[in-house]
Amino acid sequence: MARQTKTVELVTNAGLVATYAAAHADGHAAAWTKDMVFHVKQGVGARVVTVPVARTFEGRVITSLTVNVAQNTEVFIGPFAPDYVQSDGTVWIGFDATTNTTLAAMRLGVG
């Protein structure tokens, strides 16, 4: 299977009812903008979310960003520096497991 694309939704002054997708075993990719964030909702069971850095330093891989998401909580992750942008212009997000995990991608679109 392949990483799934997650559409980035725009938050406006009219409001946004975000569209959530079930976490995918191969992770997700969302188009990068300087104000894009992921919103992860976790039900039963804790989760570790990973956002890989896309560049290297002196030939070495830079450690990925990891975020612990406790049971029955929600977290916003981001915005992301350009160092997280993959060669296809997206930011990747992965999960240590996917049960009871959903996510949305959104941006403010200000300025």
Side-chain angles (χ1 to χ4, degrees):
M1 295 205 281
R3 189 172 306 277
Q4 290 189 341
T5 300
K6 182 67 184 116
T7 299
V8 179
E9 298 174 279
L10 183 63
V11 179
T12 68
N13 59 4
L16 169 68
V17 177
T19 304
Y20 289 84
H24 190 269
D26 290 331
H28 297 265
W32 178 81
T33 60
K34 65 182 178 180
D35 57 351
M36 190 274 290
V37 298
F38 291 111
H39 185 216
V40 177
K41 294 182 177 184
Q42 180 58 39
V44 175
R47 205 59 70 233
V48 177
V49 176
T50 303
V51 180
V53 176
R55 69 177 189 92
T56 60
F57 176 74
E58 294 181 346
R60 294 173 288 179
V61 174
I62 299 171
T63 304
S64 298
L65 168 66
T66 57
V67 177
N68 294 312
V69 183
Q71 175 173 288
N72 298 317
T73 62
E74 303 175 16
V75 297
F76 287 92
I77 305 169
F80 302 98
D83 294 329
Y84 289 94
V85 182
Q86 303 296 323
S87 60
D88 64 356
T90 65
V91 175
W92 293 353
I93 186 169
F95 307 89
D96 65 334
T98 58
T99 305
N100 303 314
T101 309
T102 59
L103 82 148
M106 57 194 76
R107 68 185 203 87
L108 293 176
V110 176

